[in-house]
Amino acid sequence: MAQEFAERIYTSKEWRELRHNLIVERTPKCERCGKICLDTSRLVGHHKIELTEQNVNDLDVVFNSMNIEIICSDCHNKEHRRFEGKAARKIYIIYGPPLSGKRTLVNQLSTYGDLILDLDSIYQCISGQEMYHNPNNLRFNVFGVRDKILDMIKTRYGNWYDAYIIGGYPSKAERERLQKELNAELIYCEASRQECYERLVVSGRGGQWAKYIDKWFDEYTE
């Protein structure tokens, strides 16, 4: 997980735009292993010169394209692999509107051996459908799997390192309840309604996602 001083960089609009532009310029391919990643959320912008408290405000380091590699999540995991005890575990709740880049952010921050809880991934796993094609009749099964994993996170069951929980969580009361229950840190993935609409156009997801976007912004409380 990125240190707190670097977290604000990776959640910023400037970073997301730079990463996107570098992928377009260099093609969606890992610059280390050469793997093609049509799902660009699996590509990470990696700083060759690691961000520190001393250089995090140096734009020549942070936003210098020559200092940034576009690598796949597997290579990123190998770069930052760590082995920590249970006492060092951290829990992060990554929340925000649909198509705000939550999964992409988690791929940027997480490393090998971390636990990632994402409803869309559970839907894909138990339905056999493509990502984001979520059969509504399976929602109770999906929620059951989610709750089981949340219980594992709460009790620190298993040997995972850090945990990332991806969700919309528009209700302040709900996300703060979960934060307190899991002793977690909240990270907001910011995007405007218009930005989410624009990403929907190029995402290939169904038109019903426009309703999901509207519903989130209508219900969101800061």
Side-chain angles (χ1 to χ4, degrees):
M1 169 65 187
Q3 298 293 320
E4 184 176 351
F5 60 81
E7 183 181 298
R8 62 181 176 84
I9 299 298
Y10 294 132
T11 58
S12 69
K13 182 178 181 180
E14 291 79 7
W15 172 260
R16 295 199 302 267
E17 289 180 348
L18 175 59
R19 172 188 164 278
H20 171 75
N21 290 337
L22 290 177
I23 292 174
V24 172
E25 176 185 321
R26 301 176 186 178
T27 71
K29 179 175 70 173
C30 176
E31 296 184 277
R32 291 199 182 179
C33 70
K35 180 168 63 178
I36 301 294
C37 296
L38 298 180
D39 178 2
T40 57
S41 72
R42 304 303 300 171
L43 289 170
V44 171
H46 170 69
H47 284 94
K48 299 176 185 178
I49 300 175
E50 185 177 358
L51 297 189
T52 66
E53 292 184 88
Q54 289 69 43
N55 66 21
V56 73
N57 294 314
D58 185 345
L59 299 184
D60 287 334
V61 173
V62 177
F63 296 118
N64 181 355
S65 61
M66 299 299 293
N67 184 42
I68 299 169
E69 285 182 291
I70 298 299
I71 62 177
C72 67
S73 55
D74 289 339
C75 288
H76 188 243
N77 288 336
K78 292 176 184 177
E79 179 74 20
H80 292 290
R81 185 170 183 174
R82 65 195 167 202
F83 299 90
E84 299 177 340
K86 290 185 178 182
R89 291 176 175 181
K90 293 183 179 180
I91 314 300
Y92 302 94
I93 299 172
I94 313 296
Y95 74 101
L99 289 107
S100 59
K102 297 185 291 295
R103 181 69 201 216
T104 299
L105 176 61
V106 169
N107 288 338
Q108 178 74 52
L109 299 179
S110 62
T111 191
Y112 183 88
D114 287 344
L115 190 158
I116 299 173
L117 173 56
D118 176 17
L119 277 182
D120 290 321
S121 295
I122 297 175
Y123 265 111
Q124 183 185 35
C125 179
I126 70 173
S127 71
Q129 301 300 309
E130 295 181 7
M131 193 68 161
Y132 307 119
H133 291 251
N134 301 341
N136 190 53
N137 64 301
L138 296 180
R139 65 187 183 280
F140 294 114
N141 304 89
V142 169
F143 294 158
V145 173
R146 177 202 62 186
D147 292 344
K148 182 64 175 178
I149 297 175
L150 281 174
D151 186 63
M152 291 181 184
I153 294 173
K154 179 180 178 180
T155 60
R156 302 322 194 244
Y157 177 82
N159 295 316
W160 44 271
Y161 301 145
D162 293 340
Y164 296 82
I165 301 164
I166 302 173
Y169 298 109
S171 167
K172 179 180 180 181
E174 180 186 5
R175 61 178 178 267
E176 289 187 348
R177 176 197 60 77
L178 187 61
Q179 176 191 23
K180 182 177 180 180
E181 184 176 310
L182 301 178
N183 189 25
E185 176 183 332
L186 290 168
I187 299 178
Y188 178 45
C189 199
E190 184 176 4
S192 69
R193 193 188 299 244
Q194 184 59 37
E195 285 176 323
C196 294
Y197 287 153
E198 292 171 356
R199 293 171 187 172
L200 176 59
V201 172
V202 299
S203 69
R205 303 190 195 185
Q208 75 273 16
W209 281 82
K211 297 179 181 178
Y212 301 157
I213 293 170
D214 287 335
K215 187 174 187 292
W216 189 91
F217 281 98
D218 291 342
E219 295 179 357
Y220 176 62
T221 54
E222 294 186 2

